[in-house]
Amino acid sequence: MTATRPRNGWFVWFSLLLALLLSVAPMPDFMQVGRPLWLALLLAYWSQAAPQRVGMTRTWLLGLAADVLYGTPLGQTALVLALIVFMLMSLQQRLRMFPVWQQSLVLLVVFGLAQLVQLWLNTLTGNRPPTLLFLFPALVSALLWPWVFTVMRWCSRRLSVY
Amino acid sequence: MRLLVLTVLSVALMVVDARFDTLKPLRSHMAQVLTPFYWLAERPVRLWESVSQQFSSRDELIAENEKLKAEALLLQRRLQKLATLTEQNVRLRELLNSAALVDDKVLVGELIGIDPNPFTHRILIDKGEKDGVFLGQPVLDALGLMGQVVEVMPYSARVLLLTDNTHSIPVQVNRNGLRAIAIGTGNPERLELRHVADTADIKEGDLLVSSGLGQRFPAGYPVATVNEVIHDSGQPFAVVRAVPTARLNRSRYLLLVFSDQRTPEQRAVDAALAQEAADREAGAVAGAPAPTPATAPAAPGAAPLASPAAAGVPPAAPTTEGARQ
């Protein structure tokens, strides 16, 4: 596999930048609470489909960009994203065997853990959400996973990205 | 292994970013590259707005025009009154020997983004360091105070709203001058006043204005109106809830305030000089009828001549003013 030249790598980066864009796109107020973790979803897809394309260092750098965009302390989102990719990479062999709905369940747990870390880091900077609502984005993202997976697989098959 | 390195690196970055200023340049460079993302993300919304504006019916436009005309008339009437009131205010302040209130300068900014995290109330505006925006600058909209600038980037800035969990502002009840501190609750429609005595004279409908005691916000701008006062005998203090007057989650255009940076002495000297110039002009126009104005300008006219005296006396005035607040 390593011998083959990576093809259509731009698509990976394009989709990740799109995710970055979606994560700051304006939304109606009542939907803000459930904003999907677009970056995490896309990273989850690419760490399954083309693990050689998204390393942890790249993820971390992307996370730094997200931190500047969100105005959080530098390194916060970077750390959380790196953790997500680490967990998914170590689960990769098993995840590939699962049907999509089971992958969704695993992702729910992984994203939930990531949100917990996020909460912990937020609390350190004195910014604690009062309710359990912070877990809601994890649920929304897990529910979105089958669609993201289908769309992204179709696109990457068409472009034959690997 | 790589995870460990990255984790340590992130934690180090977070600590440095939270405690020191060393990462500011890196941040502002990255922000310069990334700000277009907010602009781009807002495009579809803007496009929809402009399209719907194109197709809004003539009737609607006429109705809006009528409404705006009526509003302009109302505001102009109020403005007429304001001129006399300002004059009166200046006179009274002269009598009290305190420095004149100077109009604050403002800069109009536009909202370009909202913090994606629903638990923090922060917004992004399109004015930054290049426009003279500074850290801690107060931000208003047409109806009241909105918040303060917490992060300055070259072409944009982040504003922390009054209702954020981590924000609090010193206020004063407009009716009787009672002081309190209004704390954000994380709910965009609510502020809470802490440590208000059960017997304090505060009731529903009271207007809270900024008191200027925190040295950050200018005094006298409306902040919130009280909408609920709960006296619970089990609690040491009364629970007071208020609704911000500014439209925190609706305003698109906002005002950045540049308050007076001069020292009280400087301000007093400037005011005295301006007063003298005005008097001289008035004297030149009036010419003969000296007796009536002569009594008033006597004191301010003398001040700039004896400048040490002027510098000596006015500092006392602002301090007493501050204490009274």
Side-chain angles (χ1 to χ4, degrees), chain A residues 29-78:
Chain A
D29 266 351
F30 70 97
M31 277 159 68
Q32 283 276 10
V33 206
R35 180 186 285 277
L37 310 161
W38 290 111
L39 264 180
L41 272 174
L42 264 291
L43 282 170
Y45 176 78
W46 288 119
S47 65
Q48 298 302 305
Q52 71 278 17
R53 309 242 77 214
V54 283
M56 288 206 342
T57 320
R58 288 181 198 183
T59 307
W60 191 76
L61 289 175
L62 194 70
L64 275 192
D67 274 327
V68 173
L69 211 53
Y70 302 163
T72 43
L74 273 184
Q76 182 175 329
T77 315

Side-chain angles (χ1 to χ4, degrees), chain A residues 1-21:
Chain A
M1 256 330 213
T2 45
T4 51
R5 206 165 47 84
R7 281 165 53 188
N8 280 330
W10 61 268
F11 182 65
V12 180
W13 290 106
F14 173 76
S15 62
L16 287 176
L17 287 182
L18 196 69
L20 203 59
L21 198 64

Side-chain angles (χ1 to χ4, degrees), chain A residues 90-110:
Chain A
S90 43
L91 286 173
Q92 194 210 357
Q93 299 296 331
R94 210 175 307 170
L95 268 182
R96 288 178 84 113
M97 298 291 112
F98 286 168
V100 177
W101 68 271
Q102 260 178 1
Q103 289 180 354
S104 254
L105 278 182
V106 174
L107 283 180
L108 176 64
V109 174
V110 170

Side-chain angles (χ1 to χ4, degrees), chain B residues 133-287:
Chain B
V133 175
F134 56 90
L135 212 62
Q137 188 168 23
V139 178
L140 315 167
D141 76 350
L143 298 175
L145 266 176
M146 289 188 79
Q148 55 176 307
V149 174
V150 286
E151 191 187 337
V152 186
M153 290 164 278
Y155 294 100
S156 55
R158 226 176 272 279
V159 176
L160 188 69
L161 298 181
L162 292 179
T163 50
D164 189 271
N165 265 340
T166 57
H167 195 276
S168 47
I169 173 176
V171 293
Q172 213 172 11
V173 176
N174 199 28
R175 185 163 50 85
N176 54 13
L178 180 77
R179 292 182 306 269
I181 289 183
I183 294 179
T185 56
N187 174 342
E189 296 288 332
R190 177 180 296 171
L191 291 173
E192 257 180 38
L193 299 195
R194 290 285 160 82
H195 309 306
V196 176
D198 235 348
T199 52
D201 178 17
I202 188 165
K203 57 188 184 198
E204 275 176 40
D206 275 348
L207 178 70
L208 303 173
V209 297
S210 56
S211 68
L213 284 183
Q215 309 263 308
R216 177 141 292 187
F217 293 101
Y221 284 105
V223 174
T225 43
V226 176
N227 76 328
E228 206 177 8
V229 181
I230 303 169
H231 297 289
D232 182 355
S233 47
Q235 304 268 333
F237 296 104
V239 178
V240 183
R241 298 193 175 125
V243 184
T245 52
R247 284 172 300 184
L248 294 181
N249 46 9
R250 274 159 288 168
S251 288
R252 164 144 268 163
Y253 293 96
L254 20 91
L255 305 168
L256 291 148
V257 184
F258 292 90
S259 7
D260 219 339
Q261 298 289 327
R262 294 172 299 175
T263 60
E265 289 90 358
Q266 186 68 41
R267 219 178 300 169
V269 170
D270 284 356
L273 283 175
Q275 180 69 49
E276 196 201 11
D279 286 340
R280 209 179 294 136
E281 211 166 278
V285 173

Side-chain angles (χ1 to χ4, degrees), chain A residues 17-18 20-21 23-27 29 32-35 55-57 60-61 64-76 78-79 82-83 86 121-122 125-131 133-134, chain B residues 1-4 6-11 13-15 17-18 23 26-27 30-32 34-38 40-42 45 114-120 122 124 151 153 158 164-166 185 188 249:
Chain A
L17 287 182
L18 196 69
L20 203 59
L21 198 64
S23 63
V24 295
M27 281 174 104
D29 266 351
Q32 283 276 10
V33 206
R35 180 186 285 277
M56 288 206 342
T57 320
W60 191 76
L61 289 175
L64 275 192
D67 274 327
V68 173
L69 211 53
Y70 302 163
T72 43
L74 273 184
Q76 182 175 329
L79 175 61
L83 280 174
F86 174 75
L121 293 173
N122 271 335
T125 50
N127 206 327
R128 197 166 62 86
T131 55
L133 268 180
F134 68 93
Chain B
M1 182 58 214
R2 187 129 38 106
L3 181 73
L4 203 67
L6 289 179
T7 309
V8 170
L9 213 57
S10 320
V11 171
L13 267 179
M14 267 186 272
V15 170
D17 198 30
L23 284 176
L26 173 73
R27 234 195 142 92
M30 281 173 80
Q32 206 163 350
L34 289 167
T35 309
F37 267 82
Y38 273 103
L40 212 63
E42 266 234 317
V45 179
I114 299 161
D115 200 297
N117 181 353
F119 300 108
T120 58
R122 286 187 303 182
L124 206 69
E151 191 187 337
M153 290 164 278
R158 226 176 272 279
D164 189 271
N165 265 340
T166 57
T185 56
N249 46 9

